[in-house]
Structures are given as C-alpha cells and as structure tokens.
Amino acid sequence: MDSGKVVHRRKPGIPVIGLKASQKSHRHQEVNAKSLDLSKVICLLEDPLTTNLKERHLFVLKKLLKKSQIGFLLKELTAIAKILNICAEKVTDHPEYVSILCEALTICRLPFLKEKTSDELHYAQDVTEFLSHMGCLMRVSDAEVRQLIFECVKSFYSSVAPKQMLDGLQPTSPGYRLQLLERSELAQTLLLSMATLENQPTIKLQLLHILQILSSCSDMNCSSILHARGAETVCLHMNDHDPTGQVLFRSSEILWNLLERGNKEVVTAQLGTLECVLSLKEAFFHLLNTGSGHSDLQLRNDLLVITTLIAESPGSQLIESSFAKQLVVFSTFPELKSHNPLIRNLKLSYSNEDLKMKKLLLNLLVVMSRDLAALQLYKEERVVLALLALMKPPVASSSECQSGSRHWSAAQKEELQLQALATLATIGPLMLEEYISCEGSTCLLLLLDWCVGPDSYFGQGHSFHATGGRGGKKAQTRHCIRVLRSVTSLGEESVNQDLCDQGIINQLLGILMQIDAGPDEDDVVALEIKSDIQVILSTLCETDMHRKELFGSEGVEMAVHFLKKGSDKFYSGLGHNKLVLSTVDCVWSCIVGCYTTEDYFLVKDGVFLLLNLLSTSPRCVHGVVLATLLELCDNPNTVPYILTWRDGNGQTAPRLLLQLWREEEEELGVPRNQHGSIADPQRPIHSLFQLDEAQLSFPANVPSAAVLEMSENLRSKIYSVFCKIGFQDLPGLLGKDYVTLTIIRRYLDFKVGEVWDEISRELSLEGVRPISPDQEALSTICKIAEDTAKRIMEEQNSILEHHQKEDIREEKLTYTEMKSRWKQKEFMAKSWEDYVSRTSNYEALKEVKAQREKNAESSRPKPKHEDAAIRPAEHFIGHVVGVESTDAQGPAGVKVTLVRTPVRASSQDKGEPTIPNPDYFSTASSAD
C-alpha cells in the first residue's frame, strides 16, 4: 500500500517537466475551455429559464468580450455571430445590450486571429457568414451601432495594427477579410438597409460613403449590389434632402462605379425605369439652375453622361418622361431663340464645363437618333438648323458676336463646329427633309470653300474630332466631307442633283488634287479625305451619264494619277488600302459606261495601270480590278491595249490571267494533277466548299453552292475577260498556260453541268424521282458534262505531248548550235596556231608556200595539144571618159570624151611597150 502510494506521488512529477516543453498543448486546453464558455453563454442567452436574467447576461458578455480584447478567433466567429444576433433581438426591449454590440463591433475592427496557418482556409465559410451577419446588425436602430458597423467596414481597407498577441496566435493576412467580404452578402445587406435610414440623414450619408468604397474596389461587390437593384435604389434616393449636397455626389459616384465595374446593361436597365429617369431629371435641373461652383458643374455633366448611357438602352423611358424633349431644347441653345420657359432663365458662363455640357448634349442627339420618336422631337425643335448654325465658318459667325456680350472663345467654337459636323453626319441622313429645307448642301459647300480657301486659320486641335487638324482647316474638311458622303450615300436623287447643279464634281476634283499635292501625302486624315471624296464622286456618277461627262478629262487624269501610285503601301495601316479600292471604284463608276471618258482613259494608259495594279496588288483587290477591266472590255478599243500590255518581266495579260486562275483554284482546293490538268472528270472545277455542301439541300430562294461560288471567287470574271479578248492567238503563253486555257474555254459548260448535277443530287436527297423522260434527259446532260471533261483531258494530254516534243526539238537544236560553236572555236584555234607557226618559223613558212604552189599547179588544167601551150596575146579593152564644160547652155555645153585602150594580159612581157591600136580609139562629144 505504501509503495503504491509512493508510486502514485511520483506520477504527477513526470508531467511537470513535460509542461515546460509543450506550452502549445496547454494553450489548446485553455482554448477548449474558452470554446466551452461560448457555448455556455449561448445557452445562457437562449435558455427559457435564464432568458430574462439581464444582469447576468451583461456580466457574462462583458467578461467574454474582455477576454477577446485582442481580436476574435476564427473558430469562434460562428458562436460570436450567434451571440450578436441574440443581443440585437434583445435591444428593442432592453437598450442595455447596445453597449455589448458596440464593444463587439469595436473588436471586429481588429484582425481575426488564427492558431494555425490552415485556419484561414478551414474557417473561410464561417468568416463569410460572420460578415453577412454583421451587415444584418443594421436593423438595430441605434446610430452608434450603425456607425460602428461602417467603421468596421472601413477598417477592412486600412491596416489596423493588432494588439500584442498571445503565444500561439497570429493575425490573419491583410487581404483575407477583403477577399471574404466580396463573397459575403455584406454589401447587399448594407444597401437594403438604406430604406431604414430615412430619419437618420447623417447615417445615410455615411452608408453611401461605405457603398462608394465597396463599389470602387471590387467587381464582385458591384455584382452583389446590382443583384439587390442597387443602381435603382441609389438613384431613387439621390434627391433626398441634404443641406450639404453630399448625397447627390456620393450617389453619382456609386452609379459611376457600378457602370465601370459592374454589368453596364444591368445598370442602364435599372436606371431606365420611369422613376429613375424622373429622379435623374430632377437632379439635373436642380444642378442646372442652382449649381454655380466647379464641382456642381462637373456633377451636372456626370449626370448627363449617365443619361447618355441610359439613352443607349433600348428600353429607356427618356422620351416618355419628357426628359428627352427638354434636353433637345437645351442642345439648341444659344444658337436658336426660343420662348420655352426652361431656356428663358438659363444663362451660360461659357466655361469649359459649359462647353462639355454642350458637347454632351450634341452627343446625346446622336445616341437618341436611333429612336424614331426622338427624330420627331428633333424636327419640332429645329435641331438641323441649330447644327447648321454651329458649323458656320468662324469668319461668317464672328460678326454675330457683339463686342460686349459673352460668347464662346475661338477654340471652343472650333470644338463645337467639329462636334456639330460629326452630329450632322449621323442625323442629316435621318432627317433629309429638314436638311433640304434648311439648304444643308449649300451650307456644306460654302464651308468646303472656306476650308480650302487661302485665308489663314490656325486650328487648335484640342478635341477628339480635331485630330490631325492643328494649325489648319484639315479637321473641318474631313468632317465636311464625311457629312457629304453620308448624305449622298442615300441615293436621294433630289439631293444629289442639287449638289451636282452647284458644281460639286469639279469642286471635289480640285480639292482632291490640291490635298494630294500637299506635303502630308501619307497623313491618315489626308488619306481619309481623299478616299471619301472618291466615294462621293462614285456615288454621284454611277447611274447618270451626264455626270460622267462632267467628270470628264479632269476626273480621268485624277484617276490615272492615283492608279500610278500602285499598291506598295497597301498594308501600311494608314489608309492606303481604302484609297486604292476607292480609286478603282471611281474608275468603275465615273469612267466606265461613257465612251468619251473611256477613250480618254485608254489614251492615258488606264488599262495598263489597271493591269499593273492587278499584277502587284493583294488578292483582295483582284475582284474589283477584274470587274472594272471586264466592263471596259465592252469598249472595242480596250482589247488591243490588253493584248499589248507587258509587265516588268515581259509577262502578257493573258498569261497573268491564267496565273491568277491557277492561284484561285489552288486556294479553292480544286483537284488538279502535276501538270495542271483535270484530275477528276466527274468534278472538273469543283472546290472543297462545294464538296462539303454536297450532302445538303437548299431552299428554292437560296442559291446553291455551284451558283454561290461564282460570286465569291475570280474564275467567272477571268472567264468573262477571256470571252472578250478571245481564246486564240494569245501572246506570250507557255505549255501549262494552254492547258489551263482549255479549262477556261469550257468553264461555262462545266458550270452548267455542276448545276444539273446539284439538281439531280437534291432530288435524290429529297426522295423525288423524276418521270422517265426527265430522268433520261437529266442523265444525258450529266453524261455530256463528263464526256466534255474527258475530251478536255485528252486535249490537254495532246497539248502536253506536243509541247514535250517541241521541247525535245528545241533541246536538240540547242545542242546542235552548241556543237557547231565548239567546232568553230576549234577551227579558229587551229588556224591561229598555224598562223603563229608560219610567222614565227621561216622553214615552216617555206613549206607552206611550196605546198600552196604545188596545190595551185596541180589545180591548173593541162592543155590537150602542144600548140595550145603557145597562147596568143590577149588585150582587154579599157574605157576612159573625159568631161569638159563649154559656154553653151544645157547639155550642149558639156563635152564628153570616150577613149578605149587595150590592157595587156599578164602573160605578156612586162618590158614591152604597149602600142595602142588606132582602131580602138574614138572620140565622142555631146555637142555633136
């Protein structure tokens, strides 16, 4: 027994040493005790037997909070949230619990505590729910509680230094609470609590500030706020009574954050309701009439931007609320005089903020023009007239400004002028009747005259629409041309005829060449102006022969000038691609169809330039160029130009077209063998696209694949050009070109066969069997197409064989010429060697001379008789003519003397004197 007691006394001594080494286990036991205390506190608060023991509740809660002065443990947050909710329920009957809530919320400003690193991940859901429950405490009407909630949320965005930590505890990472705040419902709950703050304007202002912070830092918070229709709620409360004016400012900032970080469509849909539009209208007019400070004017413009975004939403109620009508009235002020009471007392300070408002109103006109009901408002308020007044040249409008009155500055006028032109480019085509009645074309042409006039004007170039126009009138020219392009593109004959009657064609041609002659040829703005002018000319002249005649030689020279530039800068990114296409379109629309301009275009080598462009331009341009050439081929004088053209490498036009055909078929995936011949007689010109669509059936109003591909590639155009220039006696073709030419010649037959094959296949797919005669005719047609392809294949093989033989013959001839040249070289070398040996060796020279004499002697014929060896002397008669002039006139004054003399043969003795025979001399005179 005693020994046992001794052992029993020694056992407690062993763990004492262990406690010094494992303090973490001891801390764990304390934490478990603390957790047990929280569960007891909850039972104390909820137990029906102890639920009314208020003093005991307060004592226990204060003791609990005193133990948590350094922060709440992550593992305790679920229990703490439950305790706070119970206290919030008791506050109504027992206000003493408010102090508990305030002290607990003060502790929540500190970082949460963790025992292990993994606690952050393990208790993430508990923290999210705790933050959501903290937002629910807004139901407590006490202002201090609500204010502490706001302070707690603010602390999440600031680094609050934690108090001294106990051993084994660590604060959570700085961004931990913010990440879980986004996942909680705190932002949504705070927004919904706004309805309970009607009697607490200060708290409401603080709540708006908190919502501004939450919406400015997180997309998820914005999404949560929008889920509770936060944009609508904030907008409806933005006009609440507030002497400080901060409610409207905070509300607009929240709406901006929601638009920037949230779903823009959802925000505009919530703000587009009639109640929200009326609220925005009230706020805007309040600032318009009473705002005087810089911040008030900025806020007014911010609301106008929000209104513009609402106008982009298709379901907005701007027109129904009459807000749109009033904004349209403001947009025409001060250019038009109005008796509207809204305008009567309106005064502008002509500051930069007023300028921004004016520009925003003009931009709003463009946005609302998508609604037909808005166009009626524009008509009633004479918007087009106001825009034409704004776009007047500064010289014309400066006289209207009185010396003592306030008005827009020169830079502001420039911005408004350009903004008005940009607005008119959109609204003008939609309100054509008002445009015509206000003589818009005349105003534009006058402005265009001013733009290219000699008077000096220094553009400021400050606004978006003034890009590239600093120091000149280029920006005004650009937007004026844009308006003309948008108006003429409608094809309204009365407008286009009015422009032509005022001489727009010659005016635009002069401006175009003037701009091109400037130093900024590669400027983006200049390139846009030039291409837009060509588009306008094409639109005006496309369908009217008289206008093509007005285009005339000056227009042809313009087109030729731009065609000579080529397509080297097509991919520069500055706009040269548009200029190339507009130039070709200008040739097609303004030159083709009028024989006078066509002939002048041919004389100026226009066809050569088009072919040069075709050979050097990218593939996307080939279709337009080929179509233009095809139209020009209707003129019989065009074909000789095409056949005589050569590129830098000597390539002819037919060969170029054949090369384009082969490239097009390679792009389409048409099956061809290595020589370019037909590989499949059943599908001689089928593309991969047609093969993919082979098992589909098309409705009657939808073109089939065989018909559709004709408009999507160049083959039909190339075939048509060959039909114009012919298929025979084409210059500069090679063997593979003739092979390709056989396919092109039968292209139409193959295409007809494709269509009939599609008809047969679609009937089969739809289960329709033609009657026997029709079936027989259908089979015969398909068979004829296949037989045609086979004949073409045989013709291609014969062409290849013929050219192969020609190649062999030419090869043999080449080798023969080479052989003869080598023999000639060998003979010349041998002759040179003999000559050198003769001139350098006397003995060799003697041998050669002897050999020559021997050869000469042997070559002489031997006499048959000995008497013939003695040959008589032979004389050769020579003639000597003498001419002497006399005093007589005419032929009698010339005396000619003819003397005949014998010349002795070489066999006679050279020493003998020659005695002339008197019989051989005679004299004759022309005088006789």
Side-chain angles (χ1 to χ4, degrees), residues 251-279:
S251 300
S252 65
E253 289 296 321
I254 294 172
L255 294 179
W256 265 115
N257 293 335
L258 295 177
L259 286 167
E260 291 178 353
R261 306 187 69 97
N263 191 323
K264 181 179 176 181
E265 288 74 15
V266 175
V267 177
T268 54
Q270 293 182 13
L271 296 178
T273 60
L274 184 60
E275 294 80 6
C276 289
V277 172
L278 291 174
S279 179

mmCIF file of all heavy atoms in Angstrom, residues 251-279:
data_model
loop_
_atom_site.group_PDB
_atom_site.id
_atom_site.type_symbol
_atom_site.label_atom_id
_atom_site.label_comp_id
_atom_site.label_asym_id
_atom_site.label_seq_id
_atom_site.Cartn_x
_atom_site.Cartn_y
_atom_site.Cartn_z
ATOM 1 N N SER A 251 -24.060 59.522 -54.459
ATOM 2 C CA SER A 251 -24.929 58.674 -55.293
ATOM 3 C C SER A 251 -24.401 58.587 -56.726
ATOM 4 O O SER A 251 -24.359 57.499 -57.326
ATOM 5 C CB SER A 251 -26.352 59.216 -55.285
ATOM 6 O OG SER A 251 -26.881 59.235 -53.978
ATOM 7 N N SER A 252 -23.989 59.722 -57.273
ATOM 8 C CA SER A 252 -23.461 59.698 -58.646
ATOM 9 C C SER A 252 -22.163 58.898 -58.723
ATOM 10 O O SER A 252 -21.922 58.194 -59.709
ATOM 11 C CB SER A 252 -23.244 61.131 -59.129
ATOM 12 O OG SER A 252 -22.235 61.772 -58.366
ATOM 13 N N GLU A 253 -21.329 59.000 -57.678
ATOM 14 C CA GLU A 253 -20.091 58.218 -57.674
ATOM 15 C C GLU A 253 -20.381 56.724 -57.632
ATOM 16 O O GLU A 253 -19.704 55.932 -58.287
ATOM 17 C CB GLU A 253 -19.230 58.628 -56.475
ATOM 18 C CG GLU A 253 -18.613 60.006 -56.595
ATOM 19 C CD GLU A 253 -17.631 60.093 -57.742
ATOM 20 O OE1 GLU A 253 -16.884 59.129 -57.955
ATOM 21 O OE2 GLU A 253 -17.630 61.117 -58.441
ATOM 22 N N ILE A 254 -21.377 56.332 -56.844
ATOM 23 C CA ILE A 254 -21.748 54.906 -56.784
ATOM 24 C C ILE A 254 -22.248 54.439 -58.146
ATOM 25 O O ILE A 254 -21.879 53.346 -58.631
ATOM 26 C CB ILE A 254 -22.815 54.683 -55.690
ATOM 27 C CG1 ILE A 254 -22.229 54.971 -54.308
ATOM 28 C CG2 ILE A 254 -23.341 53.250 -55.750
ATOM 29 C CD1 ILE A 254 -23.252 54.960 -53.198
ATOM 30 N N LEU A 255 -23.072 55.250 -58.787
ATOM 31 C CA LEU A 255 -23.575 54.871 -60.115
ATOM 32 C C LEU A 255 -22.428 54.750 -61.114
ATOM 33 O O LEU A 255 -22.411 53.833 -61.958
ATOM 34 C CB LEU A 255 -24.594 55.898 -60.592
ATOM 35 C CG LEU A 255 -25.896 55.983 -59.790
ATOM 36 C CD1 LEU A 255 -26.806 57.069 -60.350
ATOM 37 C CD2 LEU A 255 -26.614 54.633 -59.779
ATOM 38 N N TRP A 256 -21.454 55.646 -61.023
ATOM 39 C CA TRP A 256 -20.292 55.558 -61.920
ATOM 40 C C TRP A 256 -19.521 54.270 -61.673
ATOM 41 O O TRP A 256 -19.083 53.595 -62.625
ATOM 42 C CB TRP A 256 -19.382 56.769 -61.690
ATOM 43 C CG TRP A 256 -19.632 57.888 -62.636
ATOM 44 C CD1 TRP A 256 -20.101 59.126 -62.341
ATOM 45 C CD2 TRP A 256 -19.445 57.881 -64.050
ATOM 46 N NE1 TRP A 256 -20.222 59.897 -63.473
ATOM 47 C CE2 TRP A 256 -19.820 59.156 -64.535
ATOM 48 C CE3 TRP A 256 -19.005 56.922 -64.954
ATOM 49 C CZ2 TRP A 256 -19.762 59.490 -65.888
ATOM 50 C CZ3 TRP A 256 -18.942 57.257 -66.300
ATOM 51 C CH2 TRP A 256 -19.310 58.522 -66.753
ATOM 52 N N ASN A 257 -19.321 53.926 -60.398
ATOM 53 C CA ASN A 257 -18.593 52.693 -60.087
ATOM 54 C C ASN A 257 -19.333 51.468 -60.608
ATOM 55 O O ASN A 257 -18.712 50.531 -61.132
ATOM 56 C CB ASN A 257 -18.394 52.574 -58.576
ATOM 57 C CG ASN A 257 -17.470 53.645 -58.026
ATOM 58 O OD1 ASN A 257 -16.635 54.179 -58.742
ATOM 59 N ND2 ASN A 257 -17.627 53.973 -56.751
ATOM 60 N N LEU A 258 -20.649 51.484 -60.469
ATOM 61 C CA LEU A 258 -21.432 50.350 -60.969
ATOM 62 C C LEU A 258 -21.345 50.246 -62.486
ATOM 63 O O LEU A 258 -21.298 49.145 -63.045
ATOM 64 C CB LEU A 258 -22.888 50.487 -60.526
ATOM 65 C CG LEU A 258 -23.142 50.397 -59.016
ATOM 66 C CD1 LEU A 258 -24.618 50.633 -58.712
ATOM 67 C CD2 LEU A 258 -22.699 49.043 -58.459
ATOM 68 N N LEU A 259 -21.328 51.393 -63.165
ATOM 69 C CA LEU A 259 -21.215 51.373 -64.624
ATOM 70 C C LEU A 259 -19.839 50.890 -65.081
ATOM 71 O O LEU A 259 -19.718 50.199 -66.095
ATOM 72 C CB LEU A 259 -21.491 52.767 -65.191
ATOM 73 C CG LEU A 259 -22.943 53.230 -65.182
ATOM 74 C CD1 LEU A 259 -23.037 54.721 -65.470
ATOM 75 C CD2 LEU A 259 -23.765 52.445 -66.191
ATOM 76 N N GLU A 260 -18.813 51.252 -64.332
ATOM 77 C CA GLU A 260 -17.460 50.906 -64.742
ATOM 78 C C GLU A 260 -17.078 49.480 -64.371
ATOM 79 O O GLU A 260 -16.418 48.795 -65.145
ATOM 80 C CB GLU A 260 -16.469 51.887 -64.107
ATOM 81 C CG GLU A 260 -16.569 53.301 -64.667
ATOM 82 C CD GLU A 260 -15.606 54.246 -63.976
ATOM 83 O OE1 GLU A 260 -14.969 53.822 -62.981
ATOM 84 O OE2 GLU A 260 -15.496 55.400 -64.419
ATOM 85 N N ARG A 261 -17.484 49.024 -63.190
ATOM 86 C CA ARG A 261 -17.038 47.725 -62.691
ATOM 87 C C ARG A 261 -18.127 46.662 -62.731
ATOM 88 O O ARG A 261 -17.823 45.470 -62.603
ATOM 89 C CB ARG A 261 -16.499 47.855 -61.267
ATOM 90 C CG ARG A 261 -15.417 48.910 -61.094
ATOM 91 C CD ARG A 261 -14.837 48.847 -59.699
ATOM 92 N NE ARG A 261 -14.073 47.630 -59.501
ATOM 93 C CZ ARG A 261 -12.749 47.530 -59.629
ATOM 94 N NH1 ARG A 261 -12.051 48.594 -59.965
ATOM 95 N NH2 ARG A 261 -12.132 46.385 -59.421
ATOM 96 N N GLY A 262 -19.366 47.086 -62.894
ATOM 97 C CA GLY A 262 -20.453 46.123 -62.949
ATOM 98 C C GLY A 262 -20.908 45.851 -64.368
ATOM 99 O O GLY A 262 -20.259 46.227 -65.352
ATOM 100 N N ASN A 263 -22.035 45.204 -64.477
ATOM 101 C CA ASN A 263 -22.626 44.912 -65.782
ATOM 102 C C ASN A 263 -23.342 46.168 -66.283
ATOM 103 O O ASN A 263 -24.341 46.599 -65.711
ATOM 104 C CB ASN A 263 -23.602 43.739 -65.666
ATOM 105 C CG ASN A 263 -24.048 43.230 -67.006
ATOM 106 O OD1 ASN A 263 -24.243 44.000 -67.941
ATOM 107 N ND2 ASN A 263 -24.210 41.926 -67.119
ATOM 108 N N LYS A 264 -22.813 46.737 -67.356
ATOM 109 C CA LYS A 264 -23.338 48.006 -67.853
ATOM 110 C C LYS A 264 -24.790 47.860 -68.299
ATOM 111 O O LYS A 264 -25.621 48.756 -68.057
ATOM 112 C CB LYS A 264 -22.484 48.489 -69.013
ATOM 113 C CG LYS A 264 -22.907 49.815 -69.596
ATOM 114 C CD LYS A 264 -21.981 50.222 -70.728
ATOM 115 C CE LYS A 264 -22.436 51.501 -71.390
ATOM 116 N NZ LYS A 264 -21.554 51.884 -72.518
ATOM 117 N N GLU A 265 -25.128 46.746 -68.937
ATOM 118 C CA GLU A 265 -26.502 46.564 -69.403
ATOM 119 C C GLU A 265 -27.481 46.484 -68.237
ATOM 120 O O GLU A 265 -28.589 47.038 -68.298
ATOM 121 C CB GLU A 265 -26.601 45.298 -70.261
ATOM 122 C CG GLU A 265 -25.955 45.402 -71.627
ATOM 123 C CD GLU A 265 -24.441 45.365 -71.563
ATOM 124 O OE1 GLU A 265 -23.917 44.967 -70.499
ATOM 125 O OE2 GLU A 265 -23.783 45.737 -72.554
ATOM 126 N N VAL A 266 -27.066 45.807 -67.156
ATOM 127 C CA VAL A 266 -27.941 45.698 -65.991
ATOM 128 C C VAL A 266 -28.145 47.067 -65.344
ATOM 129 O O VAL A 266 -29.260 47.436 -64.947
ATOM 130 C CB VAL A 266 -27.342 44.688 -64.986
ATOM 131 C CG1 VAL A 266 -28.180 44.660 -63.706
ATOM 132 C CG2 VAL A 266 -27.280 43.305 -65.604
ATOM 133 N N VAL A 267 -27.059 47.840 -65.261
ATOM 134 C CA VAL A 267 -27.166 49.165 -64.639
ATOM 135 C C VAL A 267 -28.100 50.068 -65.444
ATOM 136 O O VAL A 267 -28.995 50.717 -64.883
ATOM 137 C CB VAL A 267 -25.771 49.800 -64.517
ATOM 138 C CG1 VAL A 267 -25.880 51.210 -63.928
ATOM 139 C CG2 VAL A 267 -24.868 48.946 -63.643
ATOM 140 N N THR A 268 -27.898 50.133 -66.754
ATOM 141 C CA THR A 268 -28.753 51.002 -67.573
ATOM 142 C C THR A 268 -30.199 50.516 -67.584
ATOM 143 O O THR A 268 -31.118 51.337 -67.668
ATOM 144 C CB THR A 268 -28.207 51.062 -69.000
ATOM 145 O OG1 THR A 268 -28.044 49.723 -69.520
ATOM 146 C CG2 THR A 268 -26.861 51.755 -69.033
ATOM 147 N N ALA A 269 -30.387 49.207 -67.477
ATOM 148 C CA ALA A 269 -31.758 48.703 -67.424
ATOM 149 C C ALA A 269 -32.448 49.136 -66.133
ATOM 150 O O ALA A 269 -33.633 49.496 -66.130
ATOM 151 C CB ALA A 269 -31.767 47.181 -67.549
ATOM 152 N N GLN A 270 -31.716 49.120 -65.006
ATOM 153 C CA GLN A 270 -32.305 49.551 -63.741
ATOM 154 C C GLN A 270 -32.541 51.060 -63.730
ATOM 155 O O GLN A 270 -33.549 51.536 -63.195
ATOM 156 C CB GLN A 270 -31.389 49.155 -62.579
ATOM 157 C CG GLN A 270 -31.287 47.658 -62.355
ATOM 158 C CD GLN A 270 -30.409 47.305 -61.160
ATOM 159 O OE1 GLN A 270 -30.062 48.161 -60.351
ATOM 160 N NE2 GLN A 270 -30.025 46.035 -61.048
ATOM 161 N N LEU A 271 -31.625 51.817 -64.322
ATOM 162 C CA LEU A 271 -31.784 53.263 -64.343
ATOM 163 C C LEU A 271 -32.763 53.735 -65.411
ATOM 164 O O LEU A 271 -33.158 54.908 -65.405
ATOM 165 C CB LEU A 271 -30.424 53.932 -64.586
ATOM 166 C CG LEU A 271 -29.358 53.728 -63.519
ATOM 167 C CD1 LEU A 271 -28.066 54.415 -63.921
ATOM 168 C CD2 LEU A 271 -29.836 54.249 -62.170
ATOM 169 N N GLY A 272 -33.123 52.875 -66.335
ATOM 170 C CA GLY A 272 -34.008 53.265 -67.421
ATOM 171 C C GLY A 272 -35.478 53.265 -67.071
ATOM 172 O O GLY A 272 -36.313 53.610 -67.931
ATOM 173 N N THR A 273 -35.828 52.895 -65.843
ATOM 174 C CA THR A 273 -37.234 52.936 -65.445
ATOM 175 C C THR A 273 -37.714 54.382 -65.340
ATOM 176 O O THR A 273 -36.920 55.327 -65.210
ATOM 177 C CB THR A 273 -37.427 52.221 -64.100
ATOM 178 O OG1 THR A 273 -36.635 52.895 -63.099
ATOM 179 C CG2 THR A 273 -36.972 50.776 -64.183
ATOM 180 N N LEU A 274 -39.010 54.555 -65.398
ATOM 181 C CA LEU A 274 -39.577 55.901 -65.392
ATOM 182 C C LEU A 274 -39.242 56.637 -64.097
ATOM 183 O O LEU A 274 -38.915 57.829 -64.116
ATOM 184 C CB LEU A 274 -41.098 55.813 -65.573
ATOM 185 C CG LEU A 274 -41.833 57.145 -65.688
ATOM 186 C CD1 LEU A 274 -41.323 57.929 -66.889
ATOM 187 C CD2 LEU A 274 -43.340 56.899 -65.791
ATOM 188 N N GLU A 275 -39.272 55.927 -62.955
ATOM 189 C CA GLU A 275 -38.982 56.588 -61.678
ATOM 190 C C GLU A 275 -37.540 57.064 -61.619
ATOM 191 O O GLU A 275 -37.260 58.182 -61.151
ATOM 192 C CB GLU A 275 -39.267 55.625 -60.518
ATOM 193 C CG GLU A 275 -40.732 55.249 -60.340
ATOM 194 C CD GLU A 275 -41.163 54.178 -61.332
ATOM 195 O OE1 GLU A 275 -40.279 53.664 -62.062
ATOM 196 O OE2 GLU A 275 -42.368 53.864 -61.388
ATOM 197 N N CYS A 276 -36.615 56.235 -62.106
ATOM 198 C CA CYS A 276 -35.204 56.631 -62.070
ATOM 199 C C CYS A 276 -34.924 57.781 -63.030
ATOM 200 O O CYS A 276 -34.149 58.701 -62.715
ATOM 201 C CB CYS A 276 -34.321 55.436 -62.409
ATOM 202 S SG CYS A 276 -34.249 54.178 -61.123
ATOM 203 N N VAL A 277 -35.547 57.748 -64.199
ATOM 204 C CA VAL A 277 -35.336 58.836 -65.153
ATOM 205 C C VAL A 277 -35.867 60.150 -64.583
ATOM 206 O O VAL A 277 -35.223 61.207 -64.712
ATOM 207 C CB VAL A 277 -36.010 58.495 -66.501
ATOM 208 C CG1 VAL A 277 -35.971 59.707 -67.428
ATOM 209 C CG2 VAL A 277 -35.317 57.312 -67.160
ATOM 210 N N LEU A 278 -36.999 60.102 -63.919
ATOM 211 C CA LEU A 278 -37.531 61.315 -63.302
ATOM 212 C C LEU A 278 -36.617 61.809 -62.179
ATOM 213 O O LEU A 278 -36.449 63.023 -61.992
ATOM 214 C CB LEU A 278 -38.931 61.046 -62.760
ATOM 215 C CG LEU A 278 -40.017 60.813 -63.822
ATOM 216 C CD1 LEU A 278 -41.328 60.421 -63.164
ATOM 217 C CD2 LEU A 278 -40.201 62.072 -64.674
ATOM 218 N N SER A 279 -36.040 60.882 -61.453
ATOM 219 C CA SER A 279 -35.115 61.275 -60.402
ATOM 220 C C SER A 279 -33.862 61.923 -60.987
ATOM 221 O O SER A 279 -33.385 62.945 -60.475
ATOM 222 C CB SER A 279 -34.734 60.056 -59.559
ATOM 223 O OG SER A 279 -33.825 60.392 -58.544
#
